Amino acid sequence: MRKNSKGAESNSSNSHRPLAERVGRRAFLGAAVSTGAAALAGCSGGNSGDGSSSGGDGGDTATVTSGTPKQGGTLQWGGAVPVQGLDPHIDTSAASKRVLENIYEEVVALQDDYSIEPHLASSFEQSEDNTLLTFELREGVTFHNGKEMTSEDVLASYERVQNGDYLATGFFDFVEELRAPDDYTFEIQLTQPFAPFLAKMATAELSVMPAEKAEMDMVEEPIGTGPYKFESREIETSFTMVRNEDYWGTSEEDGPFIDRIVKQEVPDASVRLQSFLSEEYDFINGVAPKDVSRVENASGVRLEKQFPKSLVYLGMNCDVEPFDNKDARLALDYAIDKQMVAEAALYGTGETTASPAAPGSPWVHPDIGPRERDLDRVQEHLDAAGLSDGYSATFKIPQSYPTQVQAAEVISNNAAEAGIDLDIQRITWNTWLSDVYNDRNFQATTSSYLALWYPDVSFYKFLHPDGAFFFTNWTNDKYNSLVEEARTIYDDDERADLYHQATEILHEERAGHLFLWWQPSIYGAADQYKGDIGAPDGSTLQFANNWLDR
């Protein structure tokens, strides 16, 4: 039963880093087609990570923690996208990761300030040359089947990924040996210093499962160590998990508190919102930007936003005219009113940017922001490019992403006023994958990728020619050297300086990714639903410290 703000009660009905490091273009396309927005146009970061710690404001996790936590109750969740697979080492779907985040856990965990701390490990240390990682595991941690977790389970989980074809398999190119010298010690011997490995360990792609499960090609019934246990799933309809009464991390402050979480799959945003406002659900994710005001003005509910969910960019093919010319790219940059574009697409919920680094992270250059619209500068760069009368280009937009369609219209209008004709061509997601991404048959486009909380994804995976998702064909030797060096640096200040230098090059040379905005996860929640909403990575959900005040 959910109470509205006036105290009346009503019946509630019972009726949410990234593809593989090693996934080739063909394999990626197959996975992307099957997972839709969770692939590239909503592509999760996953190629690389950062080192052990960093500063910043974190993922802006929304929090409502007034009152004393209560145990019990069923959380009714209206979900935006159905849960897909249940194997964390395989599944790329953001919807799956949102539930698996609560079932599986990792040796180390991401914190709100982007630091990496021990989790299933009680401590860890790195050798002086940064090639040996040693983890002391917690004793007394049990899987959902009652078996105690030991180093053999961690070893089996990692060897599964190393020796198979899984999301993080490519990372093991940097691993010389995995060792479990005793029941509670786990060691990773790297071939060379590789700072992103530790951050990768904090993702679901390297979550820990029982050794016997690690022997399977695909896990269909998830068993982890997390605060919630898998109970049931009806494909495309619902997903249910229940409180792990034997959770190793149980506390009066951190839970888990909720007895049962039932996710009903409601893909239609309008139906989902109306059902929520009718009190059928305690919580919904995927609130459309255009509907924010409805939630804000509704009684007995609250709206929460969490950055960063995804980074949207305008992609320019730097191998074809006119965008093989830096001045042509800069002319378009100066032609666009980024704030106007973001407002039109996101109704005030977005945040413009000139950096691929996550908002609030130390990787953000403090002195570089989006270029202001300046038609005089547009003409200067058109003249420098030998295109004084302007130019024309096709602008291929994935039609299944309304915010990008709306943004494209404003961008096209801005450009037209500056003498640049962008011919919008709405295409399907599959066509975008095959023509734009795979064949690189485009001049300009838009796309996005999910929460890039670790900088190697932001700066290497999409913008280095050896990156897994590189496709706009912009290259710069100095930039490449900087982001390659950053992969070997463990000192945060040194690494941040390299990324700041890299950002300056991206900006001054007008790389093929013209960053438009960061888009948040937007949630609606009943007033009685308490606790942190979201997770530090900006795209998944953690329910352990959530509770129901009723």
Side-chain angles (χ1 to χ4, degrees), residues 258-270:
I258 300 172
D259 285 342
R260 176 174 275 100
I261 298 171
V262 180
K263 179 178 188 269
Q264 301 288 347
E265 311 293 15
V266 193
D268 187 291
S270 297

Side-chain angles (χ1 to χ4, degrees), residues 164-368:
D165 187 14
Y166 296 94
L167 296 177
T169 297
F171 262 51
F172 288 83
D173 290 344
F174 299 91
V175 172
E176 179 178 308
E177 187 179 8
L178 301 169
R179 297 187 291 264
D182 60 55
D183 285 349
Y184 302 106
T185 304
F186 177 60
E187 297 177 342
I188 302 172
Q189 181 67 58
L190 300 173
T191 58
Q192 63 187 60
F194 185 56
F197 196 89
L198 194 62
K200 174 54 67 176
M201 291 180 64
T203 69
E205 287 92 330
L206 286 177
S207 57
V208 177
M209 59 182 62
E212 59 271 23
K213 286 285 187 179
E215 295 176 358
M216 300 179 178
D217 291 335
M218 180 179 291
V219 173
E220 297 181 346
E221 182 176 346
I223 294 177
T225 60
Y228 286 90
K229 302 189 294 185
F230 171 72
E231 181 175 86
S232 64
R233 175 195 180 202
E234 294 184 30
I235 296 175
E236 302 293 324
T237 301
S238 67
F239 183 95
T240 301
M241 51 190 173
V242 297
R243 185 169 62 91
N244 177 10
E245 297 180 357
D246 299 316
Y247 182 53
W248 64 270
T250 296
S251 73
E252 293 183 357
E253 295 80 22
D254 298 325
F257 301 111
I258 300 172
D259 285 342
R260 176 174 275 100
I261 298 171
V262 180
K263 179 178 188 269
Q264 301 288 347
E265 311 293 15
V266 193
D268 187 291
S270 297
V271 172
R272 185 170 63 253
L273 177 60
Q274 186 56 48
S275 298
F276 168 67
L277 295 177
S278 299
E279 302 188 352
E280 293 181 34
Y281 301 114
D282 302 298
F283 168 70
I284 59 171
N285 66 306
V287 174
K290 67 181 180 63
D291 293 327
V292 162
S293 61
R294 289 188 64 191
V295 179
E296 287 179 322
N297 295 325
S299 174
V301 302
R302 72 181 194 271
L303 177 85
E304 300 290 356
K305 296 189 299 179
Q306 183 190 15
F307 281 101
K309 177 190 177 185
S310 58
L311 174 60
V312 176
Y313 62 92
L314 190 161
M316 296 171 285
N317 190 340
C318 298
D319 266 358
V320 302
E321 295 180 348
F323 298 119
D324 57 348
N325 186 299
K326 179 180 78 170
D327 286 294
R329 301 193 297 270
L330 283 165
L332 181 57
D333 196 352
Y334 278 111
I336 301 171
D337 185 328
K338 283 80 171 178
Q339 191 61 45
M340 179 188 294
V341 171
E343 288 287 334
L346 299 179
Y347 297 82
T349 64
E351 179 179 308
T352 60
T353 183
S355 169
S361 74
W363 327 120
V364 176
H365 196 300
D367 301 321
I368 292 182

